[in-house]
Amino acid sequence: MKKMRNDKKRPFKEGKPKKKQSFKKEPLKKERKTTEETVEDNFVFGNHATVEAIQQGRGNKLFLQEDSKGEKVEQLKILAKENAVPVKWVPKQKLDTMTDHGVHQGIVLAITAYEYLTLDELLLRTKEKTETPFFLILDSLEDPHNFGSILRTADATGVDGIIIPKHRAVGITPVVTKASTGAVEYIPVARVTNLSQSIAALKENNFWIFGTDMKGTDYRQWNTQGAIALIIGNEGRGMSQGLHKEVDELLTIPMTGHVQSLNAGVAAGLLMYEVYRGRNPL
């Protein structure tokens, strides 16, 4: 049984004098460098994701369905011209093939490869912004729609960064980008080789580590202050046993229905908003 966290806060190393933090997100600067996605993942589709990617300077070529019309199409053409992104009109069948028959809305954008942060880069970037960062650690999440949904909610609730494993987990793919409705451009994502080692590094930087489990502290009693990282487990297996011993406290979401588990994206959303509520009282 894990020892429950007391009210003593771990200061974020080398932090600045305490001040009220703003959770408003700013567009990420294009200074990230690290591992890139494969060539087939170097595009996004759908209106929202395409607009955000072009605005962030990631657009290479815009593919529009040859019979597309309307205000959104005209706005995209203007945006592409302003950002020197060439436009090509193609048949719907080509867009279907490019997106593996995804819901592309007649819009596909070829982009520069997504560039992940290292954990050190994420810590450095966050340290410059806040003394009390909030990170998510996704433990081998596999569903791109869940990942995209989590990114969207993370942007809405002031999450400062997401950490994912390099292997056996979904990365930033076109489906993830579309599901995030462009939020992927605003939430920094670090991809690491070993989650246990990354958690140890977070503890060295005075983070409190929380996990999710059927047996744990009711999340409504969660002390969300200080520098914290929350582990969200795999859709089927939950949080891996190897990470259980790394957490400072396990959290549970009480349920009264017949199904005793929640979708990973839904559970993550509830917990992210609990952090937002705790840090932004009425």
Side-chain angles (χ1 to χ4, degrees):
M1 187 70 182
K2 294 290 176 185
K3 185 182 293 185
M4 289 183 61
R5 173 186 174 182
N6 58 31
D7 291 330
K8 184 178 179 181
K9 300 178 185 178
R10 298 180 183 177
F12 194 35
K13 279 189 176 179
E14 301 178 13
K16 300 176 183 177
K18 290 186 179 295
K19 59 182 179 181
K20 187 175 180 180
Q21 300 297 327
S22 169
F23 286 86
K24 183 178 179 181
K25 292 293 178 187
E26 297 295 334
L28 296 179
K29 295 179 181 179
K30 297 303 169 184
E31 60 190 25
R32 295 180 293 186
K33 59 179 189 301
T34 45
T35 309
E36 298 179 347
E37 288 296 289
T38 56
V39 173
E40 58 267 26
D41 286 340
N42 292 346
F43 64 86
V44 298
F45 54 89
N47 185 69
H48 288 295
T50 296
V51 168
E52 293 292 347
I54 293 176
Q55 289 178 337
Q56 297 305 312
R58 296 181 66 206
N60 287 334
K61 180 181 287 188
L62 177 61
F63 296 87
L64 295 176
Q65 189 170 315
E66 56 190 5
D67 57 352
S68 294
K69 299 178 182 177
E71 184 179 351
K72 287 184 179 180
V73 172
E74 293 304 315
Q75 290 175 345
L76 269 176
K77 287 165 59 180
I78 293 171
L79 183 62
K81 183 176 181 180
E82 290 174 345
N83 290 270
V85 176
V87 177
K88 184 174 183 180
W89 298 87
V90 298
K92 179 179 181 297
Q93 291 84 348
K94 181 173 178 61
L95 301 183
D96 289 341
T97 300
M98 293 173 70
T99 62
D100 194 21
H101 297 276
V103 184
H104 51 69
Q105 302 172 297
I107 302 165
V108 175
L109 178 71
I111 59 172
T112 55
Y114 186 86
E115 297 176 337
Y116 296 93
L117 294 174
T118 65
L119 180 60
D120 286 342
E121 288 170 335
L122 178 60
L123 286 168
L124 180 61
R125 178 184 297 228
T126 307
K127 191 178 298 185
E128 295 171 348
K129 185 175 61 172
T130 176
E131 296 176 40
T132 57
F134 171 30
F135 290 165
L136 289 181
I137 301 172
L138 305 185
D139 180 15
S140 302
L141 212 67
E142 296 174 342
D143 188 331
H145 294 94
N146 275 337
F147 191 8
S149 174
I150 287 171
L151 281 162
R152 187 174 183 177
T153 308
D155 181 53
T157 55
V159 172
D160 296 294
I162 293 179
I163 300 167
I164 64 174
K166 186 175 181 179
H167 304 292
R168 295 181 294 279
V170 65
I172 303 298
T173 68
V175 174
V176 170
T177 301
K178 186 176 190 302
S180 79
T181 63
V184 68
E185 302 294 340
Y186 298 90
I187 301 293
V189 178
R191 191 160 65 168
V192 301
T193 302
N194 187 296
L195 285 181
S196 292
Q197 291 176 3
S198 297
I199 289 171
L202 291 177
K203 288 185 175 183
E204 290 176 0
N205 280 273
N206 299 299
F207 275 74
W208 291 93
I209 309 298
F210 297 89
T212 49
D213 192 76
M214 293 297 294
K215 297 180 180 179
T217 303
D218 189 314
Y219 82 101
R220 293 169 294 181
Q221 300 175 355
W222 184 12
N223 180 354
T224 60
Q225 304 306 307
I228 62 174
L230 171 67
I231 304 170
I232 301 296
N234 173 271
E235 293 92 345
R237 302 183 299 274
M239 195 175 72
S240 61
Q241 289 300 313
L243 297 186
H244 271 255
K245 61 184 179 182
E246 308 287 350
V247 304
D248 293 304
E249 188 173 356
L250 289 170
L251 304 170
T252 189
I253 299 173
M255 289 174 279
T256 58
H258 297 88
V259 179
Q260 291 299 302
S261 64
L262 291 174
N263 170 275
V266 173
L270 280 171
L271 295 169
M272 283 186 271
Y273 266 102
E274 180 63 16
V275 176
Y276 180 85
R277 186 195 66 80
R279 295 185 173 193
N280 296 270
L282 295 175

